[in-house]
Coordinates of all heavy atoms in Angstrom, one line a residue:
M99 N 45.4 211.2 146.8 CA 44.4 210.1 147.0 C 45.1 208.7 147.1 O 46.1 208.5 146.4 CB 43.5 210.1 145.8 CG 42.5 208.9 145.8 SD 41.4 208.9 144.4 CE 42.5 208.7 143.0
S100 N 44.7 207.9 148.0 CA 45.3 206.6 148.2 C 44.3 205.6 147.7 O 43.2 205.4 148.4 CB 45.6 206.4 149.7 OG 46.0 205.0 149.9
V101 N 44.6 204.9 146.8 CA 43.7 203.8 146.2 C 43.6 202.7 147.3 O 42.5 202.1 147.5 CB 44.2 203.2 144.9 CG1 43.5 202.0 144.5 CG2 44.2 204.3 143.8
Q102 N 44.7 202.5 148.0 CA 44.7 201.5 149.1 C 43.7 201.9 150.2 O 42.9 201.0 150.7 CB 46.1 201.4 149.7 CG 46.2 200.4 150.8 CD 47.6 200.4 151.4 OE1 48.5 201.1 151.1 NE2 47.8 199.4 152.3
A103 N 43.7 203.2 150.5 CA 42.8 203.7 151.6 C 41.4 203.6 151.1 O 40.5 203.2 151.9 CB 43.1 205.1 152.0
I104 N 41.0 203.9 149.9 CA 39.7 203.8 149.3 C 39.3 202.3 149.3 O 38.1 202.0 149.7 CB 39.7 204.5 147.9 CG1 39.9 206.0 148.1 CG2 38.4 204.1 147.2 CD1 40.0 206.8 146.8
S105 N 40.1 201.4 148.9 CA 39.8 200.1 148.9 C 39.5 199.5 150.2 O 38.5 198.8 150.4 CB 40.9 199.2 148.2 OG 41.0 199.6 146.9
A106 N 40.3 199.9 151.2 CA 40.0 199.5 152.6 C 38.7 200.1 153.1 O 37.9 199.3 153.8 CB 41.2 200.0 153.5
A107 N 38.4 201.3 152.8 CA 37.1 201.9 153.2 C 35.9 201.1 152.6 O 34.9 200.8 153.2 CB 37.0 203.3 152.9
L108 N 36.0 200.8 151.3 CA 34.9 200.1 150.6 C 34.8 198.7 151.1 O 33.6 198.2 151.2 CB 35.2 200.1 149.1 CG 35.1 201.4 148.4 CD1 35.6 201.2 146.9 CD2 33.6 201.8 148.4
A109 N 35.8 198.1 151.5 CA 35.8 196.6 152.0 C 35.3 196.6 153.5 O 34.9 195.5 153.8 CB 37.1 196.0 151.9
L110 N 35.3 197.7 154.1 CA 34.9 197.6 155.6 C 33.4 197.3 155.8 O 32.6 197.8 155.1 CB 35.2 199.0 156.2 CG 35.1 199.1 157.8 CD1 36.2 198.1 158.4 CD2 35.4 200.5 158.2
R111 N 33.2 196.4 156.7 CA 31.7 196.0 157.0 C 31.5 196.3 158.4 O 32.3 196.5 159.2 CB 31.6 194.4 156.8 CG 31.9 194.0 155.4 CD 30.8 194.5 154.3 NE 31.1 194.0 153.0 CZ 31.5 194.8 152.0 NH1 31.6 196.1 152.2 NH2 31.7 194.4 150.8
G112 N 30.2 196.4 158.7 CA 29.7 196.7 160.1 C 29.8 198.2 160.5 O 29.8 198.5 161.7
V113 N 29.7 199.0 159.4 CA 29.7 200.5 159.7 C 28.4 201.0 159.0 O 27.9 200.4 158.1 CB 30.9 201.3 159.2 CG1 32.2 200.8 159.9 CG2 31.1 201.0 157.7
S114 N 28.0 202.1 159.5 CA 26.8 202.8 158.9 C 27.2 203.4 157.6 O 28.4 203.6 157.3 CB 26.2 203.9 159.8 OG 27.1 205.0 159.9
S115 N 26.2 203.7 156.8 CA 26.4 204.4 155.5 C 27.1 205.8 155.7 O 28.0 206.1 154.9 CB 25.1 204.5 154.7 OG 24.2 205.3 155.4
S116 N 26.8 206.5 156.7 CA 27.4 207.7 157.0 C 28.9 207.6 157.4 O 29.7 208.4 157.0 CB 26.6 208.5 158.1 OG 25.3 208.8 157.7
E117 N 29.1 206.6 158.2 CA 30.5 206.3 158.6 C 31.3 205.9 157.4 O 32.5 206.4 157.2 CB 30.6 205.2 159.6 CG 30.1 205.6 160.9 CD 30.0 204.5 161.9 OE1 29.6 203.3 161.5 OE2 30.2 204.7 163.1
K118 N 30.8 205.1 156.5 CA 31.5 204.7 155.2 C 31.7 205.9 154.4 O 32.8 206.0 153.8 CB 30.7 203.6 154.5 CG 31.6 203.1 153.3 CD 31.1 201.8 152.8 CE 31.5 200.7 153.6 NZ 31.4 199.4 153.0
L119 N 30.7 206.7 154.2 CA 30.9 207.9 153.4 C 32.0 208.8 153.9 O 32.9 209.3 153.2 CB 29.6 208.7 153.3 CG 29.6 210.1 152.7 CD1 29.9 209.9 151.2 CD2 28.3 210.8 152.9
L120 N 32.1 209.0 155.2 CA 33.1 209.8 155.9 C 34.4 209.1 155.7 O 35.5 209.8 155.3 CB 32.8 210.0 157.4 CG 33.9 210.8 158.1 CD1 33.9 212.2 157.5 CD2 33.5 210.9 159.6
L121 N 34.5 207.8 155.8 CA 35.8 207.0 155.6 C 36.3 207.2 154.1 O 37.5 207.4 153.9 CB 35.6 205.6 155.9 CG 35.5 205.3 157.4 CD1 35.1 203.8 157.6 CD2 36.9 205.6 158.1
L122 N 35.4 207.2 153.2 CA 35.7 207.4 151.8 C 36.2 208.8 151.5 O 37.2 209.1 150.8 CB 34.6 207.1 150.9 CG 34.2 205.6 150.8 CD1 32.8 205.4 150.1 CD2 35.3 204.9 150.0
A123 N 35.6 209.8 152.2 CA 36.1 211.2 152.0 C 37.5 211.3 152.6 O 38.4 212.0 152.1 CB 35.1 212.2 152.8
L124 N 37.7 210.7 153.8 CA 39.0 210.7 154.4 C 40.1 210.0 153.5 O 41.2 210.5 153.3 CB 39.0 210.0 155.7 CG 38.4 210.8 156.9 CD1 38.1 209.9 158.1 CD2 39.2 212.0 157.3
A125 N 39.6 208.9 152.9 CA 40.5 208.2 152.0 C 41.0 209.0 150.8 O 42.0 208.8 150.3 CB 39.9 206.9 151.6
N126 N 40.0 209.8 150.4 CA 40.3 210.7 149.2 C 41.4 211.6 149.5 O 42.2 212.0 148.5 CB 39.0 211.4 148.8 CG 39.2 212.2 147.5 OD1 39.5 211.6 146.6 ND2 38.9 213.5 147.6
Y127 N 41.7 212.0 150.7 CA 42.8 212.9 151.1 C 44.0 212.2 151.6 O 45.0 212.8 151.9 CB 42.3 213.9 152.2 CG 41.3 214.9 151.7 CD1 39.9 214.7 152.0 CD2 41.7 215.9 150.9 CE1 39.0 215.6 151.5 CE2 40.8 216.8 150.4 CZ 39.4 216.6 150.7 OH 38.5 217.6 150.2
A128 N 44.0 210.9 151.7 CA 45.1 210.0 152.3 C 46.3 210.1 151.4 O 46.2 210.0 150.2 CB 44.6 208.6 152.6
D129 N 47.4 210.1 152.1 CA 48.7 209.9 151.3 C 49.1 208.5 151.2 O 48.4 207.6 151.6 CB 49.8 210.8 151.9 CG 50.2 210.4 153.4 OD1 49.8 209.3 153.8 OD2 50.8 211.2 154.1
E130 N 50.4 208.2 150.8 CA 50.8 206.8 150.6 C 50.9 206.1 151.9 O 50.8 204.8 151.9 CB 52.2 206.8 149.9 CG 52.3 207.5 148.7 CD 52.5 209.0 148.8 OE1 53.1 209.5 149.8 OE2 51.9 209.8 148.0
S131 N 51.0 206.8 153.0 CA 51.0 206.2 154.4 C 49.6 206.1 155.0 O 49.5 205.8 156.2 CB 52.0 207.0 155.3 OG 53.2 207.0 154.8
M132 N 48.6 206.4 154.2 CA 47.2 206.4 154.6 C 47.0 207.4 155.8 O 46.2 207.2 156.7 CB 46.8 205.0 155.0 CG 46.7 204.1 153.8 SD 46.2 202.4 154.2 CE 44.6 202.6 154.7
R133 N 47.7 208.5 155.7 CA 47.4 209.7 156.6 C 46.8 210.8 155.9 O 47.1 211.0 154.7 CB 48.8 210.1 157.3 CG 49.4 209.0 158.1 CD 50.7 209.5 158.7 NE 51.6 209.8 157.6 CZ 52.9 209.9 157.7 NH1 53.5 209.7 158.8 NH2 53.6 210.2 156.6
C134 N 46.0 211.5 156.6 CA 45.4 212.8 156.0 C 45.0 213.7 157.1 O 44.9 213.4 158.3 CB 44.2 212.4 155.1 SG 42.9 211.6 156.1
W135 N 44.9 215.0 156.7 CA 44.5 216.0 157.6 C 43.5 217.0 157.1 O 43.6 218.2 157.3 CB 45.8 216.8 158.1 CG 46.7 215.9 158.7 CD1 46.8 215.7 160.1 CD2 47.8 215.2 158.2 NE1 47.9 214.9 160.4 CE2 48.5 214.5 159.2 CE3 48.3 215.0 156.9 CZ2 49.6 213.7 159.0 CZ3 49.4 214.2 156.7 CH2 50.0 213.5 157.8
P136 N 42.4 216.5 156.5 CA 41.4 217.5 156.1 C 40.6 218.1 157.3 O 40.5 217.4 158.3 CB 40.4 216.7 155.2 CG 40.6 215.3 155.8 CD 42.0 215.1 156.2
S137 N 40.1 219.3 157.2 CA 39.4 219.9 158.3 C 38.0 219.2 158.4 O 37.5 218.7 157.4 CB 39.3 221.4 158.1 OG 38.4 221.6 157.0
Q138 N 37.4 219.3 159.6 CA 36.1 218.8 159.8 C 35.1 219.6 158.8 O 34.1 219.0 158.3 CB 35.7 218.9 161.2 CG 36.5 218.0 162.0 CD 36.2 218.1 163.5 OE1 35.4 218.9 163.9 NE2 36.9 217.3 164.3
V139 N 35.4 220.9 158.7 CA 34.5 221.6 157.8 C 34.6 221.1 156.3 O 33.6 221.0 155.6 CB 34.9 223.2 157.8 CG1 34.2 224.0 156.7 CG2 34.6 223.8 159.2
R140 N 35.8 220.8 155.8 CA 36.0 220.3 154.5 C 35.3 218.9 154.4 O 34.6 218.7 153.4 CB 37.5 220.1 154.2 CG 37.8 219.3 152.9 CD 37.3 219.7 151.7 NE 37.6 221.1 151.4 CZ 36.9 221.9 150.6 NH1 35.9 221.5 149.9 NH2 37.3 223.2 150.4
L141 N 35.4 218.1 155.4 CA 34.7 216.8 155.4 C 33.2 216.9 155.3 O 32.5 216.3 154.5 CB 35.1 215.9 156.6 CG 36.6 215.4 156.6 CD1 37.0 214.9 157.9 CD2 36.9 214.5 155.4
A142 N 32.7 217.9 156.1 CA 31.3 218.2 156.1 C 30.8 218.6 154.7 O 29.8 218.2 154.2 CB 31.0 219.2 157.1
E143 N 31.6 219.5 154.1 CA 31.3 220.0 152.7 C 31.3 218.9 151.7 O 30.4 218.8 150.9 CB 32.2 221.1 152.3 CG 31.9 222.4 153.1 CD 33.0 223.4 152.8 OE1 34.0 223.2 152.1 OE2 32.9 224.6 153.3
D144 N 32.3 218.0 151.8 CA 32.5 216.9 150.8 C 31.4 215.9 150.9 O 31.0 215.2 149.9 CB 33.8 216.2 151.0 CG 35.0 217.1 150.5 OD1 34.8 218.2 149.9 OD2 36.2 216.7 150.8
T145 N 30.9 215.7 152.2 CA 29.9 214.6 152.4 C 28.5 215.0 152.5 O 27.6 214.2 152.6 CB 30.3 213.8 153.7 OG1 30.3 214.7 154.8 CG2 31.7 213.1 153.6
C146 N 28.3 216.3 152.5 CA 27.0 216.9 152.7 C 26.4 216.6 154.1 O 25.1 216.5 154.3 CB 26.0 216.5 151.6 SG 26.5 217.1 150.0
L147 N 27.3 216.3 155.1 CA 26.9 216.1 156.4 C 27.1 217.4 157.2 O 27.9 218.3 156.7 CB 27.7 215.0 157.1 CG 27.6 213.6 156.4 CD1 28.7 212.7 156.9 CD2 26.2 213.0 156.7
T148 N 26.5 217.5 158.4 CA 26.8 218.7 159.1 C 28.1 218.6 159.9 O 28.6 217.5 160.1 CB 25.7 218.9 160.2 OG1 25.7 217.9 161.2 CG2 24.3 219.0 159.6
D149 N 28.7 219.7 160.3 CA 29.9 219.7 161.1 C 29.8 218.8 162.3 O 30.6 218.0 162.7 CB 30.4 221.1 161.5 CG 30.7 222.0 160.4 OD1 30.7 221.5 159.2 OD2 30.9 223.2 160.7
R150 N 28.6 219.0 163.0 CA 28.3 218.2 164.2 C 28.3 216.7 163.9 O 28.8 215.9 164.7 CB 27.0 218.7 164.8 CG 26.6 218.0 166.1 CD 25.3 218.6 166.6 NE 25.0 217.9 167.8 CZ 23.9 218.2 168.6 NH1 23.1 219.1 168.1 NH2 23.7 217.6 169.7
T151 N 27.6 216.3 162.8 CA 27.6 214.9 162.5 C 29.0 214.4 162.1 O 29.3 213.3 162.6 CB 26.7 214.7 161.3 OG1 25.3 215.1 161.6 CG2 26.6 213.3 160.9
V152 N 29.8 215.1 161.5 CA 31.2 214.7 161.2 C 32.0 214.5 162.5 O 32.6 213.5 162.6 CB 31.9 215.7 160.2 CG1 33.4 215.5 160.2 CG2 31.3 215.7 158.8
R153 N 31.9 215.4 163.4 CA 32.6 215.3 164.7 C 32.1 214.0 165.4 O 32.9 213.2 165.9 CB 32.3 216.5 165.5 CG 33.1 217.7 165.1 CD 33.1 218.8 166.2 NE 31.8 219.3 166.5 CZ 31.1 220.2 165.8 NH1 31.7 220.7 164.7 NH2 29.9 220.6 166.2
A154 N 30.8 213.8 165.5 CA 30.2 212.6 166.1 C 30.7 211.3 165.4 O 31.0 210.3 166.1 CB 28.7 212.6 166.1
L155 N 30.7 211.3 164.1 CA 31.1 210.0 163.4 C 32.6 209.8 163.6 O 33.1 208.7 163.8 CB 30.8 210.2 161.9 CG 29.3 210.2 161.5 CD1 29.1 210.5 160.0 CD2 28.7 208.8 161.8
L156 N 33.4 210.9 163.5 CA 34.8 210.7 163.8 C 35.1 210.2 165.2 O 35.9 209.3 165.4 CB 35.6 212.1 163.6 CG 35.7 212.5 162.2 CD1 36.3 214.0 162.2 CD2 36.6 211.6 161.4
S157 N 34.4 210.7 166.2 CA 34.5 210.2 167.5 C 34.2 208.7 167.7 O 34.8 207.9 168.3 CB 33.6 211.1 168.5 OG 33.8 210.7 169.8
A158 N 33.1 208.4 167.0 CA 32.6 207.0 167.0 C 33.6 206.0 166.3 O 33.9 205.0 166.8 CB 31.2 206.8 166.4
L159 N 34.1 206.5 165.2 CA 35.1 205.6 164.5 C 36.4 205.5 165.3 O 37.0 204.4 165.3 CB 35.4 206.2 163.1 CG 34.2 206.1 162.1 CD1 34.5 207.0 160.9 CD2 34.0 204.7 161.7
E160 N 36.8 206.6 165.9 CA 38.0 206.6 166.7 C 37.9 205.6 167.9 O 38.9 205.0 168.3 CB 38.4 207.9 167.2 CG 39.0 208.8 166.1 CD 39.1 210.3 166.5 OE1 38.8 210.6 167.7 OE2 39.7 211.1 165.7
G161 N 36.7 205.5 168.4 CA 36.4 204.7 169.7 C 36.3 203.2 169.3 O 36.2 202.3 170.2
R162 N 36.2 202.8 168.0 CA 36.1 201.4 167.6 C 37.3 200.6 167.9 O 38.5 201.2 167.8 CB 35.7 201.3 166.2 CG 34.2 201.6 166.0 CD 34.0 201.5 164.5 NE 32.6 202.0 164.2 CZ 31.6 201.2 163.9 NH1 31.7 199.9 164.0 NH2 30.4 201.8 163.7
D163 N 37.2 199.4 168.2 CA 38.3 198.4 168.2 C 38.9 198.3 166.8 O 38.2 198.3 165.8 CB 37.9 197.0 168.7 CG 37.6 197.1 170.2 OD1 38.0 198.0 170.9 OD2 36.8 196.2 170.6
R164 N 40.2 198.2 166.7 CA 40.8 198.0 165.4 C 40.9 196.6 165.0 O 41.1 195.7 165.1 CB 42.2 198.6 165.4 CG 42.1 200.1 165.6 CD 43.5 200.8 165.7 NE 43.3 202.1 166.0 CZ 43.5 203.1 165.2 NH1 43.9 202.8 164.0 NH2 43.4 204.3 165.5

């Protein structure tokens, strides 16, 4: 778990509650370099979202400007 990644996810504005939930789940798996590789199935289980919703949210987040 990366406290830095969780703090960054919490501070992010302009995202939906589902996107923030997914970002927090990703942050929970992040290493010191803020990288993580949880499966979409694991993220769906952790967030109580469907696999399809997780895929859509990941795609939307990846398409945003940084």
Side-chain angles (χ1 to χ4, degrees):
M99 171 179 65
S100 168
V101 174
Q102 181 182 6
I104 291 173
S105 295
L108 287 171
L110 191 61
R111 299 293 180 248
V113 295
S114 71
S115 57
S116 295
E117 288 171 326
K118 187 166 279 201
L119 176 62
L120 183 59
L121 288 169
L122 287 167
L124 287 166
N126 188 52
Y127 291 103
D129 63 14
E130 304 82 34
S131 301
M132 294 182 62
R133 294 180 300 202
C134 61
W135 296 273
S137 70
Q138 292 174 1
V139 171
R140 167 57 55 200
L141 291 170
E143 290 172 355
D144 289 351
T145 59
C146 298
L147 299 169
T148 65
D149 297 354
R150 182 177 180 181
T151 300
V152 167
R153 285 191 302 275
L155 291 171
L156 287 171
S157 180
L159 289 167
E160 288 172 356
R162 286 181 186 256
D163 291 335
R164 294 178 185 252

